[in-house]
Amino acid sequence: MSEKQSKRIISLLMENAPGALSRVVGLFSQRGYNIETLNVAPTDDASLSRLTLTTIGSEHNIEQITKNLNKLIDVVKLVDLTEGSHIERELMLVKVKATGALREEVKRCVDIFRGQIVDVTSTVYTIQIVGASDKLDAFVQAVSDAQILEVVRSGVSGIARGEKVLSL
Amino acid sequence: MEMLSGGDMLVRSLQDQGVEYVFGYPGGSALHIYDAIFRNKAVKHILVRHEQAATHAADGFARVTGKAGVVLVTSGPGATNAITGIATAYMDSIPMVVISGQVPSEKIGEDAFQETDMVGVSRPIVKHSFLVKDAAEIPEIVKKAFYIAETGRPGPVVIDVPKDVTSPAETFPYEYPKKVKIRSYFPAEKGHSGQIKKAVQLLLEARRPVIYSGGGVVLGDASKQLRELARKLNYPVTNTLMGLGAFPGTDKQFLGMLGMHGTFEANTAMHHADVILAIGARFDDRVTNTPEKFCPGAKIIHIDIDPASISKTIQADIPIVGSVQSVLSEMLELLAQSKESPDEQALADWWQQIEDWRGRHGLYTKNRFEETGQIKPQEVIQALHEVTGGDAIITSDVGQHQMFTAQYYHFNRPRQWVNSGGLGTMGFGLPAAMGAQFAERDQQVVCVTGEGSIQMCIQELSTCTQYHLPVKIICLNNQALGMVRQWQDLHYDGRYSESLYEESLPDFEKLMEAYGHVGIKVTERSELKSKLEECFAMKDRVVFMDIYVDQSEHVYPMQVAPNGAMRDMWLSKTERT
């Protein structure tokens, strides 16, 4: 069994019912798997929620995770997005101290990352960045000269490219 | 349409599901349901003395009948007391439906009297659970619960029922659904035919094959197919602790149990096998020993209804997801059509090798247990086999007595052996025997136990009195927690930390008398058989045999751990492979 670890994006449709989320999350702690990011919201079908999580594990771990998730009665359908080409997005809001010369510097950085300044005060910028997780990481790195006051990330959501869909 | 209250709908749904017995214990949140039980004439309620026993009794009933056992408990402590039994059923994939009362909906979350988040507490040990929000859903939820519990890889399902939902104040149109569909649940049935073909091919090419079959063959009612397949190929068969009885224990093709306390020939044959056919078994750590050293030369075919069991600890070369009965039937058809047959010479050599192993260190070779003049626990099981004609339903608790029974009773049919294999729950034996006796009123039911285990659910002697359950209790009394003591001998230089009872054991004869039963104490080897005969002659009584056995006896063979392979075993206190 390969021990090489990789990051996976697992996306699933589950019953939009109380307790469903705790079964999914509980499975991870129960079986000793880890969740890096988690994102869940209802879909266009009100009876279903879409949950996307990222996890790091070996091929064998991931296989066990998907098998055990599939066994949960509340999980209706599941896909490992990393198995095919896919689009990965995460939203981040960052509050940074922006005074003096740094004010321009931070603004330029936001432009380079195609982010937006969504709130401004005389000393603080609130910045919104959307992209793959590593782009968000890179932005945090890029503005590290400025004082970061707060970071909030939505967790990864994702969708397969092309015709492939995750639906009933 | 008939109008019923929530409580009545719940009990009527059980009746319409064909439930005969409910094992339970009343309490505040469940009182509306108990009132409905009082009115219902078809569903019989069995009052236990502790909720743990309700789950074990329902479990014993399920293991013997194949149908879901049903439990009814109240909220809070009633629910938490049931947890050990639910976990026991979960680990051994036993179908069970547990109905727990809950505080009224509007009180949930307020830390109300006897409130426990049962759905939350039981979550990791159930196949699924329901919290009833609306009384009108009750019939459908009950139907779904049984469907989930009994199909696919079976398991326990909890239905948590808030008290207001069962209130007699409101009635609803009642109809029990004939069928139920769950959009996310499709238990595997037929296996992939291409994979089955490959498996048959590999089996036919095998030179040193072993069939390793587990509890799935019992649960999936595939004992007949297993026997046919083994006969047709003349391949050796070993069973896991959970699989005993699926293949006849007295058959020449049977190698005995495998694993930690498996026979020398079963473990050694596994180690040297070139093809292993695993059927409804899950490569448990008590079977494989060190996974990296497991059966180095073997190609593995693994049939299981649960895809998550395949390649979990041991990588399968040919995985087949499907019901064992269906897959084995298909294999038998392919074999019937095939012009090929196994290499006769290779198979004859393999059998000769196995017979040599069996002759050298099998269960009945000389010096199997040392002579000390005291009664040996193994002898008790052999005598029990003799006196009961090998035909009794045997339940056990957990420890040395369980292993001795597994080794020496030689179960010849599935569902004859009832034990807690996965969770290893002490206290399981007696209540499970009660459940088994309800399932088979005319069968002799025997609980093999130890003086440690029996005290964990001994209150059920009173339930046996109430329902006239003439179970026989065979207590291998070694005045110690035998298996703990054995490990302390082997790994802790005989420091018996908290494993000895000193002079604290009750007088079991008097205790039995107090409950209205019979107690018989046996200390002399010469009396063993006659006293056992005396015990089984009392057809309509509970008889407790308090048999004093040699405290120093260990269970052998015992695999060497950690870092041992299948074939690395202690054969006695002094001999190692």
Side-chain angles (χ1 to χ4, degrees):
Chain A
M1 278 165 217
S2 151
E3 284 306 305
K4 212 176 123 241
Q5 309 271 313
S6 64
K7 181 186 127 180
R8 299 301 187 99
I9 305 173
I10 293 169
S11 199
L12 57 88
L13 292 171
M14 63 180 190
E15 299 291 349
N16 186 7
L21 178 61
S22 77
R23 287 183 218 273
V24 171
V25 175
L27 178 75
F28 278 75
S29 59
Q30 180 186 351
R31 301 248 174 214
Y33 314 139
N34 68 79
I35 297 179
E36 298 283 315
T37 73
L38 178 68
N39 168 303
V40 52
T43 63
D44 54 330
D45 177 345
S47 72
L48 290 172
S49 288
R50 178 144 176 168
L51 178 149
T52 305
L53 60 86
T54 56
T55 182
I56 293 172
S58 65
E59 200 62 45
H60 176 248
N61 286 147
I62 303 296
E63 191 181 317
Q64 278 296 314
I65 291 174
T66 54
K67 280 174 170 178
N68 279 303
L69 283 171
N70 265 318
K71 270 173 75 175
L72 295 175
I73 309 279
D74 283 335
V75 171
V76 183
K77 224 167 181 185
L78 177 151
V79 65
D80 177 355
L81 288 172
T82 14
E83 277 182 350
S85 68
H86 62 279
I87 296 156
E88 171 193 341
R89 288 290 180 274
E90 191 175 357
L91 181 143
M92 175 170 69
L93 296 170
V94 194
K95 205 169 265 193
V96 294
K97 193 126 199 166
T99 48
L102 268 177
R103 230 172 141 78
E104 253 324 291
E105 175 62 27
V106 170
K107 172 87 175 56
R108 263 200 301 278
C109 219
V110 171
D111 291 340
I112 292 167
F113 279 84
R114 294 198 200 118
Q116 290 160 286
I117 295 169
V118 290
D119 188 48
V120 186
T121 72
S122 54
T123 54
V124 167
Y125 280 155
T126 302
I127 301 152
Q128 170 185 303
I129 307 268
V130 174
S133 300
D134 49 1
K135 173 176 161 182
L136 273 49
D137 295 340
F139 178 78
V140 172
Q141 203 67 59
V143 295
S144 58
D145 281 348
Q147 192 189 352
I148 294 175
L149 302 171
E150 193 177 347
V151 175
V152 50
R153 297 170 71 146
S154 65
V156 172
S157 62
I159 198 162
R161 283 189 187 278
E163 312 274 305
K164 245 172 93 179
V165 288
L166 180 64
S167 69
L168 290 193
Chain B
M1 207 183 279
E2 205 177 348
M3 299 295 285
L4 294 177
S5 73
D8 284 315
M9 280 204 289
L10 184 57
V11 179
R12 253 305 276 292
S13 298
L14 295 178
Q15 179 186 336
D16 290 343
Q17 177 65 34
V19 171
E20 203 180 341
Y21 295 106
V22 172
F23 300 89
Y25 204 103
S29 298
L31 284 179
H32 294 326
I33 307 172
Y34 271 89
D35 202 48
I37 291 260
F38 190 81
R39 282 190 292 280
N40 184 289
K41 297 284 173 279
V43 179
K44 295 180 213 63
H45 182 276
I46 307 304
L47 177 66
V48 294
R49 301 297 180 265
H50 186 292
E51 289 88 349
Q52 180 184 347
T55 51
H56 292 331
D59 181 320
F61 181 86
R63 289 182 204 234
V64 171
T65 59
K67 288 199 276 188
V70 183
V71 177
L72 174 58
V73 294
T74 191
S75 63
T80 54
N81 276 348
I83 290 294
T84 300
I86 299 173
T88 304
Y90 181 72
M91 287 294 273
D92 289 343
S93 310
I94 303 305
M96 183 184 286
V97 173
V98 179
I99 299 162
S100 53
Q102 182 54 281
V103 300
S105 308
E106 77 276 7
K107 292 234 184 312
I108 289 179
E110 288 183 4
D111 300 324
F113 177 64
Q114 293 196 326
E115 179 184 355
T116 295
D117 172 11
M118 181 55 166
V119 167
V121 169
S122 64
R123 190 196 44 72
I125 52 165
V126 294
K127 189 168 169 188
H128 194 57
S129 50
F130 297 91
L131 174 64
V132 182
K133 298 267 184 191
D134 175 4
E137 315 170 323
I138 288 175
E140 199 187 331
I141 286 181
V142 172
K143 184 78 187 173
K144 279 185 180 171
F146 278 88
Y147 174 58
I148 292 170
E150 290 178 340
T151 55
R153 179 176 180 179
V157 176
V158 162
I159 309 176
D160 201 29
V161 193
K163 188 169 186 181
D164 54 303
V165 166
T166 56
S167 161
E170 215 184 331
T171 59
F172 304 83
Y174 170 80
E175 189 181 15
Y176 194 61
K178 285 192 183 58
K179 271 202 343 220
V180 73
K181 198 177 172 294
I182 300 167
R183 64 175 170 182
S184 55
Y185 180 65
F186 303 97
E189 192 35 52
K190 272 175 67 72
H192 187 279
S193 51
Q195 291 288 89
I196 296 175
K197 237 176 244 157
K198 274 203 272 178
V200 168
Q201 194 53 42
L202 182 60
L203 269 181
L204 285 168
E205 287 162 13
R207 300 178 69 80
R208 296 182 311 281
V210 177
I211 299 174
Y212 147 52
S213 96
V217 176
V218 177
L219 296 166
D221 291 320
S223 175
K224 184 173 156 273
Q225 287 77 6
L226 169 68
R227 289 167 196 224
E228 266 180 56
L229 184 80
R231 297 260 185 278
K232 172 131 186 93
L233 293 167
N234 187 29
Y235 285 0
V237 180
T238 176
N239 282 166
T240 67
L241 178 64
M242 296 311 300
L244 292 174
F247 195 78
T250 50
D251 195 286
K252 257 193 84 73
Q253 267 174 263
F254 189 56
L255 305 185
M257 180 171 76
L258 83 168
M260 178 168 272
H261 294 296
T263 62
F264 175 75
E265 57 269 37
N267 287 342
T268 314
M270 284 288 285
H271 184 87
H272 293 283
D274 68 342
V275 173
I276 289 170
L277 173 62
I279 314 170
R282 61 187 175 88
F283 295 86
D284 176 86
D285 56 289
R286 284 293 192 271
V287 161
T288 59
N289 213 354
T290 314
E292 293 74 28
K293 295 184 179 172
F294 179 75
C295 305
K299 287 242 185 284
I300 291 166
I301 305 165
H302 190 178
I303 310 169
D304 206 289
I305 199 157
D306 175 12
S309 280
I310 293 178
S311 300
K312 180 174 66 177
T313 54
I314 300 292
Q315 190 72 35
D317 296 286
I318 304 183
I320 305 172
V321 178
S323 99
V324 286
Q325 197 191 73
S326 156
V327 174
L328 288 181
S329 302
E330 219 170 305
M331 288 176 109
L332 282 165
E333 274 171 43
L334 288 175
L335 281 171
Q337 292 158 14
S338 174
K339 287 182 192 63
E340 291 171 66
S341 57
D343 184 323
E344 255 173 69
Q345 190 52 50
L347 193 58
D349 292 347
W350 181 227
W351 270 117
Q352 197 181 0
Q353 173 68 77
I354 288 170
E355 289 306 340
D356 175 58
W357 287 326
R358 178 145 46 194
R360 263 196 288 159
H361 299 296
L363 288 176
Y364 294 97
T365 42
K366 66 174 166 43
N367 304 330
R368 200 55 255 167
F369 26 90
E370 43 179 323
E371 292 287 334
T372 57
Q374 289 174 281
I375 301 175
K376 292 290 177 181
Q378 298 93 327
E379 294 179 302
V380 179
I381 306 300
Q382 286 174 255
L384 176 67
H385 186 265
E386 223 178 297
V387 172
T388 56
D391 197 39
I393 294 175
I394 308 281
T395 74
S396 92
D397 271 300
V398 171
Q400 286 186 321
H401 67 268
Q402 177 189 25
M403 292 300 121
F404 290 132
T405 311
Q407 290 177 333
Y408 287 92
Y409 196 82
H410 309 305
F411 300 93
N412 272 338
R413 58 172 199 276
R415 304 193 179 281
Q416 188 190 358
W417 166 233
V418 175
N419 86 127
S420 166
L423 196 67
T425 309
M426 290 170 72
F428 175 82
L430 177 57
M434 298 180 340
Q437 190 75 79
F438 277 111
E440 293 280 355
R441 290 311 285 246
D442 301 327
Q443 272 280 354
Q444 182 68 68
V445 177
V446 179
C447 164
V448 180
T449 185
E451 81 295 336
S453 285
I454 192 67
Q455 293 191 78
M456 283 211 186
C457 265
I458 199 157
Q459 76 284 346
E460 296 310 315
L461 287 168
S462 170
T463 313
C464 294
T465 313
Q466 185 171 350
Y467 297 98
H468 310 290
L469 301 169
V471 300
K472 303 293 182 276
I473 301 164
I474 308 297
C475 177
L476 304 186
N477 188 339
N478 59 1
Q479 299 165 281
L481 297 174
M483 193 57 95
V484 172
R485 194 182 181 280
Q486 174 167 346
W487 279 66
Q488 288 170 337
D489 273 332
L490 297 171
H491 299 291
Y492 301 91
D493 295 325
R495 293 186 296 278
Y496 301 128
S497 179
E498 303 302 316
S499 56
L500 305 175
Y501 289 118
E502 309 292 339
E503 297 297 309
S504 67
L505 286 175
D507 180 332
F508 284 111
E509 276 172 288
K510 280 198 183 135
L511 187 68
M512 291 305 127
E513 260 174 58
Y515 278 107
H517 305 319
V518 181
I520 299 176
K521 187 169 170 175
V522 186
T523 52
E524 294 304 317
R525 222 173 162 175
S526 55
E527 296 180 326
L528 176 61
K529 232 177 114 207
S530 61
K531 295 277 188 190
L532 273 172
E533 276 160 359
E534 195 183 315
C535 158
F536 284 96
M538 287 182 262
K539 296 270 178 235
D540 52 353
R541 301 297 298 276
V542 174
V543 185
F544 185 101
M545 300 288 293
D546 188 17
I547 304 173
Y548 278 69
V549 296
D550 185 352
Q551 191 183 53
S552 68
E553 191 63 29
H554 287 178
V555 183
Y556 291 111
M558 183 177 183
Q559 279 177 335
V560 175
N563 301 322
M566 283 299 285
R567 64 171 169 182
D568 299 330
M569 283 168 274
W570 285 99
L571 300 168
S572 70
K573 284 180 187 169
T574 49
E575 251 178 307
R576 241 197 83 159
T577 55

